[in-house]
Structure formats: structure tokens, C-alpha cells
Amino acid sequence: MFDLITGRVERPFHERAPRSKFVAATAHAAVLVLVLGISLLSVANPLPEVPTMMAFAAPAAPPPPPPPPPPPAQPSVTPPVAAPAPKPGALAAPVEAPSSVRPEPPTAVADALGGVVGGVEGGVPGGVVGGIVGGIVSPPPPPAPPPPPPTARKPVRIGGQIVAPALVRRVEPVYPGIAVAAQLSGMVILEAVVDTEGCVESVKVLRPLHLLLDQASVEALKQWQYSPLILNGVPTPFVLTVTFNFSVKR
């Protein structure tokens, strides 16, 4: 179509001239070099640094346990020493039986101490005639222990089969003048505890009347004296009741 327009029939690129071939080869080589150069430039980028040596540190091993203590030293045991065998002599037992038995001669020591002529085996100087052969005089028995001290016995109450012992000393209460002036009269009942010797140990008011009369009764009763009360051969404390009557004489 271009030939018709231009009116020329020349086709430089379609001709197989050496120049065109050279130009085409040069263009292909340039494109190939360009492609390879770009590829090499992209590959030539700096690579990441690789460590020359990598080491892994493991934790240190625990220290070894301490050695066990040495065993205790065993006590040295000395082997028992055998007793030496008795040498044959006068004290050794005879090996052969004697042909006859001869009585032993009396000794001067036995005669001096009053022993029996001929004595017996195992006897002691001053022993008892007819003692046991081989017997040993035993020591005398130890003395008997002292009797224990008498323990405190509980006071018994007078009454029934237990009769109060004889009254050795009696003291009458003092009638206070104020009580007489006030005409105070009545009965005071007391309880007395008497010890093993017959003395009044304590007094308790069971039925009071007036403070003045009660105090006068207690002071009088504390001065009373009884004979000791003996029960089964043992002195025993006792308790009894005492009554005082106060009356104004007109």
C-alpha cells in the first residue's frame, strides 16, 4: 500500500543485506546485555550478614553434695585374758583319792578363841557349836523403822455412844452492866472444838442473842478445860454444844 502511495518499491528492511543483519544482531546483543545487567544488579544487592560463629551457653551444673561424715570410731575391744592356771602346790586339789582319812590337828587359834577341837569346814572363830558346814554368819537385821507420827484426826461429835469427857475447869460468862441496864436476857448457843489435850481450840456462835452477850459467852467458853477424849487408845479431838442462859434478877 505504501508502495502505491510513495510510488517506490524499495524495501530496505526486507532485504537480506549484511548491514541489516549486523544491525539486528547488535540490537539483540544490546537488549540481552541490558537484561542480564539488570538481573545482575538486582542480585548484587547486599546480603544479610551471617555470624561467623554461634554458641549456645548451657546453665552451670550444681555443685556436688558434700561427702558423708566419717563413721564413728568403733571402741577397741580387748580380748578377755584367760586366768592363769593354778600351779600345782599345797593348795591344789589332789588328783588321786587318799588311801585313808586323817583328822586335822587342832590349831592354837581355835583353842585360844574357844573353838571346837577338829572344827568344821567353813567355821569362823567364836562361832556357834553345831553350825552348818560352809555356812556364813549373816549380819544382824537392821533396826525397825520408827513409827510414823500420828496424823491429825478429824474431830468427832459428842453424842450417842460418844460421851463428853469430864469438865476440869468451867468459867461463867460476865454479864455486862449495859446488858443488865437494858434488861437483855435470853439464850446463847455455842459450838466448841476441843483438841486432843482437852483445851478449847475454837468457838462458833450457833444462836446469837446480842453482840455483848455473844462476846462474853465466847470469851468464857475459850477458858474451859476438859479431860482428853481417848478412842481406841488414841487421843481424839471432839466437838460439843454449850448453852448459856442470861436472865436479869429482880
Side-chain angles (χ1 to χ4, degrees):
M1 183 175 77
F2 287 101
D3 294 343
L4 294 177
I5 294 174
T6 58
R8 299 177 62 180
V9 191
E10 297 180 358
R11 296 176 181 177
F13 295 99
H14 290 275
E15 294 180 356
R16 295 187 180 275
R19 188 179 61 179
S20 61
K21 294 179 180 181
F22 177 76
V23 172
T26 305
H28 282 83
V31 172
L32 183 59
V33 169
L34 181 62
V35 172
L36 293 176
I38 293 174
S39 300
L40 291 176
L41 289 176
S42 62
V43 174
N45 289 334
L47 297 176
E49 296 181 1
V50 179
T52 57
M53 182 180 64
M54 299 180 66
F56 298 93
Q74 297 292 338
S76 59
V77 179
T78 58
V81 181
K87 297 181 180 180
L91 299 179
V95 179
E96 299 178 356
S99 58
S100 61
V101 179
R102 298 179 181 178
E104 296 182 0
T107 58
V109 177
D111 295 340
L113 296 178
V116 179
V117 177
V120 294
E121 183 181 0
V124 294
V128 180
V129 178
I132 302 173
V133 177
I136 300 175
V137 178
S138 60
T151 56
R153 302 187 61 180
K154 186 177 180 180
V156 297
R157 184 171 293 276
I158 299 298
Q161 296 181 357
I162 302 177
V163 182
L167 179 60
V168 179
R169 180 185 180 189
R170 178 187 180 94
V171 178
E172 297 295 336
V174 178
Y175 209 142
I178 300 177
V180 174
Q183 295 185 354
L184 297 177
S185 61
M187 181 184 301
V188 179
I189 302 177
L190 307 174
E191 182 182 78
V193 179
V194 184
D195 58 12
T196 56
E197 296 181 358
C199 300
V200 177
E201 185 176 9
S202 61
V203 177
K204 179 181 179 182
V205 180
L206 299 181
R207 181 180 176 182
L209 177 62
H210 190 273
L211 181 60
L212 296 176
L213 301 179
D214 296 343
Q215 186 176 1
S217 301
V218 171
E219 292 179 355
L221 185 56
K222 285 184 177 180
Q223 303 178 38
W224 286 21
Q225 181 73 33
Y226 287 87
S227 298
L229 177 63
I230 307 299
L231 293 179
N232 298 327
V234 179
T236 306
F238 59 94
V239 181
L240 77 164
T241 304
V242 179
T243 303
F244 289 108
N245 289 319
F246 293 90
S247 60
V248 179
K249 295 181 181 182
R250 295 179 181 177

